[in-house]
Amino acid sequence: QVQLVESGGDLVQAGGSLRLSCVVSGSIIGFKKMGWYRQAPGKQRELVAVITGGGSTNYADSVKGRFTISRDNAMNTVYLQMNSLKPEDTAVYYCNVNAISTSVYSYSDYWGRGTQVTVSS
């Protein structure tokens, strides 16, 4: 089955950096898009960044200029480089992909379990 595992979340001080990774396992043969969402305490889940199969990227206004999404299709991995972190970035970050696999021969949506990012001060 398709499985998403996020890593890289940590406790950092304001102004610091983190790189989140999401490894997608399973018999993936193609990605429509790969992205990151986040949910802060008491808030709704929101889109942070997404990269499409064609390589186009989109970012939430709140992270533009600070976060960068990238991918390594050979390893079925998507990254989120987060710089100049602010306390407002504190949230659980979730990986999300739309992909096709040999188990499900159509594009389907998959979610990771999340990784905690906490920015102090």
Side-chain angles (χ1 to χ4, degrees):
Q1 64 173 22
V2 176
Q3 180 91 333
L4 279 61
V5 179
E6 304 102 328
S7 63
D10 206 348
L11 169 63
V12 299
Q13 293 187 340
S17 298
L18 286 173
R19 189 184 72 162
L20 305 184
S21 299
C22 174
V23 178
V24 184
S25 62
S27 301
I28 299 295
I29 56 177
F31 289 93
K32 192 69 174 181
K33 65 178 182 179
M34 310 176 78
W36 292 91
Y37 291 72
R38 69 185 181 187
Q39 187 166 21
K43 305 294 183 180
Q44 293 181 284
R45 189 172 300 185
E46 65 173 342
L47 175 68
V48 176
V50 62
I51 183 165
T52 70
S56 298
T57 58
N58 289 290
Y59 298 90
D61 288 341
S62 59
V63 307
K64 287 180 179 177
R66 299 188 296 120
F67 291 10
T68 303
I69 188 170
S70 62
R71 65 186 177 194
D72 180 352
N73 286 336
M75 295 297 295
N76 291 342
T77 304
V78 60
Y79 303 96
L80 185 68
Q81 179 65 47
M82 306 186 294
N83 299 324
S84 302
L85 284 162
K86 305 175 180 179
E88 306 89 86
D89 296 317
T90 295
V92 176
Y93 285 70
Y94 298 90
C95 183
N96 170 255
V97 305
N98 189 268
I100 187 169
S101 72
T102 57
S103 297
V104 181
Y105 282 93
S106 63
Y107 285 96
S108 301
D109 216 47
Y110 303 94
W111 288 88
R113 291 155 294 182
T115 184
Q116 177 70 50
V117 171
T118 303
V119 185
S120 64
S121 184

